[in-house]
């Protein structure tokens, strides 16, 4: 697929971050977009940004409220798309939606753990299941599943548990790689790619807890404050003299730094992804840090979960948050 003009793209998690930037860049190339997100307000802003420049006649941008972990939501999204986009086929599927959280089997609840896993993995699986018939009907099509560097390296540092997200992203990577053969045997005109971003400047840190808790507040709950203290203590930080207000401010700073000081912006990440689709690359690493980490894990896999390995990565990449 060398260009996107006149095509129809589905994007999950289109309200913020890479999903928003994928929508903007696809629309700029003349591609129709149907996006879903749990936030109607966030999608409205994405649509507004897409429409800043007058759209070509007939170009369609539609928004659909859906939780990607719930199959009935996906089916409603599909049915709305067929009606509002006036089509029985799509050309591009970006399974982009994801959240963090539920990192520990000890300090997080089962509900938190499974919420993360069911969005990050289940959303990809259900997305493919739901939209595959529409992709097959197109003359050419491409599935793009967002994994992560945590799809080949299950860590964000020695002091932080990271099991739910990592397990989900490993599943996404393996699923997509297995699909290469499955599609080749049964629908060779449909291609697929697994995307493995490093640290990208998105709002995933702040958005994840809001999705987990069903809140719009930035203020940590009592349980979150306790967990934050445990996490900081695990990172070797003395929290004994820190007030709840101090912990709250650190959480806000962490979310801000993750968004504002990332080595790769969401817009740059979206361009790398779209260029990878045009080049029919099945494996798309996003960011210099992703390339470096991939290389280091392959070189010394037995050392990948040692403090020395992590510190070397931090030094080499300039990561400021775990």
């Amino acid at each position: 697929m060398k260009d996107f003009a006149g095509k129809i793209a589905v994007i999950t998690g289109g309200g913020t971050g890479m999903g928003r930037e994928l929508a903007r860049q696809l629309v700029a190339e003349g591609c129709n977009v149907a996006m879903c997100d749990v936030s109607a307000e966030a999608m409205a802003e994405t649509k507004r940004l897409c429409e800043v420049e007058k759209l070509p006649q007939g170009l369609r941008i539609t928004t659909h409220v859906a939780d990607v972990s719930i199959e009935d939501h996906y089916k409603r999204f599909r049915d709305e798309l067929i009606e509002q986009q006036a089509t029985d086929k799509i050309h591009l599927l970006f399974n982009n939606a994801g959240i963090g959280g539920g990192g520990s089997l000890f300090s997080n609840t089962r509900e938190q753990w499974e919420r993360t896993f069911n969005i990050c993995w289940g959303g990809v699986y259900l997305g493919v299941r739901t939209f595959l018939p529409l992709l097959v009907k197109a003359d050419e099509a491409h599935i793009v599943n967002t994994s992560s560097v945590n799809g080949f390296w299950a860590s964000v540092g020695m002091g932080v548990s990271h099991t739910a997200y990592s397990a989900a992203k490993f599943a996404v990577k393996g699923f997509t790689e297995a699909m290469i053969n499955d599609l080749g045997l049964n629908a060779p005109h449909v291609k697929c790619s697994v995307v493995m971003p490093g640290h990208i400047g998105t709002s995933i840190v702040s958005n994840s807890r809001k999705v987990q808790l069903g809140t719009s507040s930035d203020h940590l709950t009592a349980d979150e404050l306790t967990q934050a203290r445990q996490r900081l203590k695990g990172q070797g930080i003395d929290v004994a003299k820190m007030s709840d207000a101090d912990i709250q401010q650190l959480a806000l700073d962490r979310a801000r730094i993750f968004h504002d000081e990332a080595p790769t912006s969401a817009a740059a990440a979206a361009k790398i992804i779209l260029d990878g689709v045009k080049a029919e690359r099945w494996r798309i690493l996003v960011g210099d840090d992703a390339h470096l980490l991939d290389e280091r894990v392959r070189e010394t896999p037995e050392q990948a979960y040692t403090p020395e390995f992590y510190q070397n990565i931090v030094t080499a990449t300039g990561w400021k948050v775990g």
Side-chain angles (χ1 to χ4, degrees), residues 13-159:
T16 59
M18 291 194 302
R20 171 176 289 177
E21 296 303 328
L22 284 167
R24 295 180 68 183
Q25 293 180 33
L26 285 164
V27 167
E29 293 197 34
C31 186
N32 300 288
V33 167
M35 75 185 84
C36 79
D37 200 282
V38 292
S39 171
E41 294 78 10
M43 284 190 292
E45 176 61 11
T46 298
K47 185 175 181 180
R48 185 192 71 78
L49 290 169
C50 289
E51 294 173 339
V52 168
E53 299 294 334
K54 188 175 180 180
L55 299 179
Q57 186 174 2
L59 196 68
R60 295 178 296 276
I61 306 171
T62 57
T63 60
H64 311 265
V65 175
D67 180 332
V68 298
S69 68
I70 302 173
E71 188 168 12
D72 285 347
H73 285 205
Y74 254 127
K75 290 178 178 178
R76 185 182 69 236
F77 175 21
R78 177 201 60 203
D79 293 344
E80 291 175 355
L81 176 152
I82 290 170
E83 178 183 358
Q84 295 176 28
Q85 295 274 351
T87 187
D88 65 348
K89 59 180 173 286
I90 65 170
H91 304 88
L92 293 154
L93 171 61
F94 293 89
N95 286 310
N96 164 78
I99 65 168
S104 175
L105 292 169
F106 296 88
S107 59
N108 293 111
T109 65
R110 178 169 179 168
E111 289 73 21
Q112 290 172 328
W113 201 102
E114 293 184 356
R115 181 73 171 137
T116 297
F117 188 81
N118 290 341
I119 289 175
C120 292
W121 156 243
V124 172
Y125 169 68
L126 292 174
V128 172
R129 276 288 188 195
T130 303
F131 286 106
L132 189 58
L134 279 69
L135 290 157
V136 170
K137 286 183 179 180
D139 54 355
E140 60 175 345
H142 205 117
I143 299 167
V144 184
N145 295 331
T146 300
S147 178
S148 165
V149 292
N150 291 132
F152 59 79
W153 183 65
S155 178
V156 287
M158 304 308 297

Side-chain angles (χ1 to χ4, degrees), residues 133-213:
L134 279 69
L135 290 157
V136 170
K137 286 183 179 180
D139 54 355
E140 60 175 345
H142 205 117
I143 299 167
V144 184
N145 295 331
T146 300
S147 178
S148 165
V149 292
N150 291 132
F152 59 79
W153 183 65
S155 178
V156 287
M158 304 308 297
V160 184
S161 299
H162 201 50
T163 63
Y165 186 85
S166 296
K169 295 303 186 179
F170 266 78
V172 171
K173 180 176 179 289
F175 174 63
T176 311
E177 292 191 21
M179 281 177 56
I180 294 170
N181 191 51
D182 200 8
L183 290 170
L185 290 170
N186 297 289
H189 64 297
V190 181
K191 309 301 181 185
C192 66
S193 299
V194 59
V195 175
M196 291 172 286
H199 179 187
I200 310 299
T202 71
S203 300
I204 189 171
V205 172
S206 57
N207 287 346
S208 293
R209 61 170 298 276
K210 292 177 182 178
V211 172
Q212 286 277 7
L213 297 175

Side-chain angles (χ1 to χ4, degrees), residues 15-18 20-21 199-207 251-267 320-321:
T16 59
M18 291 194 302
R20 171 176 289 177
E21 296 303 328
H199 179 187
I200 310 299
T202 71
S203 300
I204 189 171
V205 172
S206 57
N207 287 346
L252 292 173
D253 289 344
R254 177 172 177 264
R256 177 189 58 76
I257 291 169
F258 191 94
H259 183 281
D260 295 347
E261 300 185 27
T264 306
S265 69
K320 295 185 178 179
V321 291

